[in-house]
Amino acid sequence: MCADSTVPLVSEIFGPSPASPGEGGSPTEAPQQGGRGRNAIRGVSVAAQFRSSLQSLLAELEETNPHYVRCIKPNLTKAPDSFDSFEVLRQMRYAGMMETVRIRSEGYALREDHASFFQRFSLLLNGDEREGGIERLFAVLSARLNVTEADWQVGHSKIFLKKGFADKLEVIAQLRA
């Protein structure tokens, strides 16, 4: 990505690093590209160390799935037992939480993995209906509750339900239990 940049400095920083002694390079090689790189007297340059470190960091970041935690401060004075609702609301708006809540309430409010969902709501099925798995569960519940496939979606690992359908299921499950 950055190694293919048209900016020479960026492509040089993110380009292939000089070969190390174990990779076919020799510690007695002459300095590369006008004094940059490594030789027997000077060792590895700071720029080469930085480039190597940056490349390993980027490789590690590309392999991870980061999750972020946003902290909300209850007041500006850091006083205990003091809650400033206007300040909390301001922070939540700034963090995009109000928009996230609105989108979730308009869209698929409930997101749950297959196994957990089936365990919670399979009690709404009769004995022979439980044999079909998650697809059978949705077919039966959709018919009983008069909802369409627009109210629910089955993903690879999670179930997505719109708020109205999720609320109906919760009420019925509580009544049945």
Side-chain angles (χ1 to χ4, degrees):
M1 156 173 77
C2 293
D4 300 330
S5 175
T6 57
V7 179
L9 178 63
V10 173
S11 62
E12 182 180 331
I13 289 174
F14 292 100
S17 61
S20 62
E23 296 172 348
S26 168
T28 57
E29 289 177 350
Q32 300 169 352
Q33 300 176 355
R36 291 186 206 109
R38 169 173 54 169
N39 66 21
I41 299 171
R42 292 188 190 152
V44 179
S45 68
V46 173
Q49 289 175 356
F50 176 75
R51 180 186 325 169
S52 173
S53 175
L54 188 59
Q55 285 176 337
S56 67
L57 175 64
L58 286 174
E60 188 174 329
L61 286 175
E62 288 174 359
E63 294 175 6
T64 60
N65 294 320
H67 297 283
Y68 300 97
V69 175
R70 174 78 181 179
C71 296
I72 305 293
K73 297 177 185 169
N75 60 62
L76 293 176
T77 59
K78 298 182 182 178
D81 300 325
S82 174
F83 185 83
D84 183 355
S85 60
F86 293 111
E87 180 59 25
V88 170
L89 182 62
R90 183 192 66 77
Q91 292 176 61
M92 290 180 73
R93 282 186 178 143
Y94 181 78
M97 289 300 300
M98 305 308 281
E99 186 68 12
T100 301
V101 169
R102 185 188 66 78
I103 289 169
R104 282 200 130 180
S105 66
E106 289 178 2
Y108 297 105
L110 178 72
R111 297 170 174 137
E112 191 170 346
D113 64 280
H114 289 196
S116 172
F117 184 86
F118 191 79
Q119 182 180 359
R120 285 179 57 206
F121 296 109
S122 64
L123 64 101
L124 301 176
L125 300 178
N126 297 329
D128 60 331
E129 294 173 333
R130 291 187 182 135
E131 299 300 320
I134 199 81
E135 287 81 15
R136 177 79 173 139
L137 174 67
F138 272 110
V140 171
L141 292 177
S142 294
R144 287 184 184 166
L145 298 175
N146 196 26
V147 295
T148 65
E149 197 170 316
D151 293 319
W152 56 271
Q153 294 291 314
V154 179
H156 292 291
S157 62
K158 289 194 175 193
I159 305 298
F160 302 92
L161 301 176
K162 289 209 172 182
K163 185 166 178 35
F165 186 37
D167 291 343
K168 286 180 185 179
L169 281 177
E170 289 293 338
V171 169
I172 293 172
Q174 287 176 0
L175 291 175
R176 188 80 183 246

